[in-house]
Amino acid sequence: MSIHELDWKRIDLLIQLALEEDLGKNGDITTNSVIPADLKAKAIFLCKDDLVCAGLPVAERLFKTLSDEIVFKPLVKEGDLCRKGDLLAEMYGPARALLTGERTALNFIQRLCGVATASHRYQQAAGDKAWILDTRKTTPGWRNLEKYAVSVGGAHNHRIGLFDRVMIKDNHRELAGLEGPGGIIRSVERARKAYPGFEVEVEVDSLEELEEAIQSKAEYILLDNMSNEQMKQAVQMVAGRSKLEASGNVTLPRVSSIAETGVDYISSGALTHSVKSADISMDIVLN
């Protein structure tokens, strides 16, 4: 499985915005008034949860934005399963830079570890019967990072945006239907004519709509909010002619039973829109 590539141009912009948000016009007035400018210190990232590690390169980038004297040493790899009490990384350098970057760095890695951990749990529940996919329900501006964390956790990326796959959803269908019956077939034909190099996915809400989607010869069909029994029927109806994606009301306890229906993919916005950030602390080490 490939890991989603980090877009450092976007990440540098996010880091800059996050630091500006925290430092304002006056900078870190507490640290700058209390900590001597020439003091060096060592710090560690400590797991306070079981988690899947994701985001250490981002934390390193942030600290080095504050001071190129900081030495950042990862102690685990991206995607590693880490237990409560494990150390993720250690940092050494100017104490002011370490303290100033602490909260912002933690905000990044706690969020990304949370996404990676949820993605791991969902894919583990599906086993090798279906791929778990993410969605476009991402934090604005964070899509590259969150999709990276999904892939680090062992799940898979769906389309990245509106630009890399034609996906005819319910509102597209409704508007296409104003022209009369056959809206799905008509929409797929228009998409293939306008963007011949792209795969097409069609969302359906019923087995009746599925019949038309099959006729359209779309590469992918999304089964929206269907029961497990309906999905089993859909698998039989499609008979391998299109890849099937289950979506809607996908919860972790339900993933295993959905995978048993025979669908190829299970997508869940929960991987990115409602995960709990991992509990990680940054502690100064005195020795």
Side-chain angles (χ1 to χ4, degrees):
M1 187 200 68
S2 61
I3 301 298
H4 188 66
E5 185 176 353
L6 287 171
D7 183 341
W8 287 110
K9 183 178 179 181
R10 292 180 184 273
I11 294 166
D12 285 342
L13 178 59
L14 285 174
I15 287 172
Q16 192 63 41
L17 289 171
L19 289 173
E20 288 176 359
E21 181 179 59
D22 214 22
L23 295 174
K25 294 181 179 179
N26 298 322
D28 183 353
I29 59 175
T30 305
T31 296
N32 292 344
S33 61
V34 173
I35 304 301
D38 61 350
L39 182 66
K40 299 291 180 68
K42 178 181 177 181
I44 56 170
F45 282 146
L46 174 67
C47 293
K48 303 178 79 173
D49 272 337
D50 294 344
L51 55 83
V52 174
C53 178
L56 291 183
V58 181
E60 179 178 9
R61 189 85 160 203
L62 185 142
F63 279 119
K64 290 188 174 179
T65 298
L66 291 167
S67 172
D68 59 11
E69 295 181 43
I70 290 178
V71 177
F72 189 98
K73 181 182 178 183
L75 300 177
V76 298
K77 296 178 182 178
E78 298 285 272
D80 279 358
L81 294 172
C82 304
R83 301 302 179 190
K84 181 178 180 180
D86 287 350
L87 300 183
L88 298 179
E90 60 183 36
M91 299 77 74
Y92 178 81
R96 283 188 176 182
L98 290 174
L99 293 180
T100 296
E102 174 182 357
R103 174 42 51 201
T104 306
L106 285 172
N107 285 347
F108 276 101
I109 66 168
Q110 286 179 306
R111 172 71 180 169
L112 296 177
C113 286
V115 171
T117 303
S119 300
H120 173 77
R121 289 171 179 164
Y122 272 68
Q123 189 61 67
Q124 286 289 103
D128 59 2
K129 291 184 171 61
W131 280 17
I132 297 295
L133 302 179
D134 56 22
T135 70
R136 287 171 50 242
K137 297 176 183 177
T138 53
T139 307
W142 272 62
R143 184 168 298 169
N144 173 257
L145 282 174
E146 290 178 346
K147 284 185 174 282
Y148 164 79
V150 165
S151 62
V152 166
H156 305 263
N157 298 142
H158 205 303
R159 60 178 180 160
I160 305 304
L162 297 173
F163 58 85
D164 57 343
R165 178 184 293 182
V166 174
M167 188 165 180
I168 301 166
K169 293 178 67 66
D170 53 352
N171 286 332
H172 298 106
R173 282 199 329 266
E174 292 298 321
L175 291 171
L178 295 176
E179 298 179 49
I184 290 176
I185 294 175
R186 189 164 54 248
S187 296
V188 172
E189 289 174 348
R190 288 174 177 174
R192 293 205 190 282
K193 183 177 180 180
Y195 298 99
F198 290 84
E199 294 179 313
V200 177
E201 181 164 8
V202 174
E203 177 184 304
V204 300
D205 299 328
S206 67
L207 297 179
E208 289 74 26
E209 289 174 346
L210 176 62
E211 288 278 12
E212 188 178 350
I214 293 170
Q215 293 176 42
S216 77
K217 298 182 180 179
E219 285 86 358
Y220 303 89
I221 301 173
L222 185 151
L223 309 174
D224 187 41
N225 282 297
M226 289 192 181
S227 67
N228 288 5
E229 188 55 43
Q230 287 176 309
M231 285 189 275
K232 288 178 183 177
Q233 290 181 254
V235 170
Q236 293 176 352
M237 290 169 63
V238 171
R241 287 173 286 181
S242 299
K243 296 290 188 180
L244 287 177
E245 173 188 341
S247 186
N249 193 30
V250 174
T251 60
L252 185 56
R254 192 178 171 221
V255 166
S256 178
S257 66
I258 295 175
E260 292 289 345
T261 67
V263 296
D264 302 284
Y265 308 109
I266 304 170
S267 61
S268 176
L271 302 184
T272 53
H273 72 52
S274 59
V275 297
K276 177 181 179 293
S277 292
D279 192 358
I280 302 167
S281 66
M282 191 186 100
D283 300 331
I284 297 294
V285 177
L286 302 175
N287 53 26

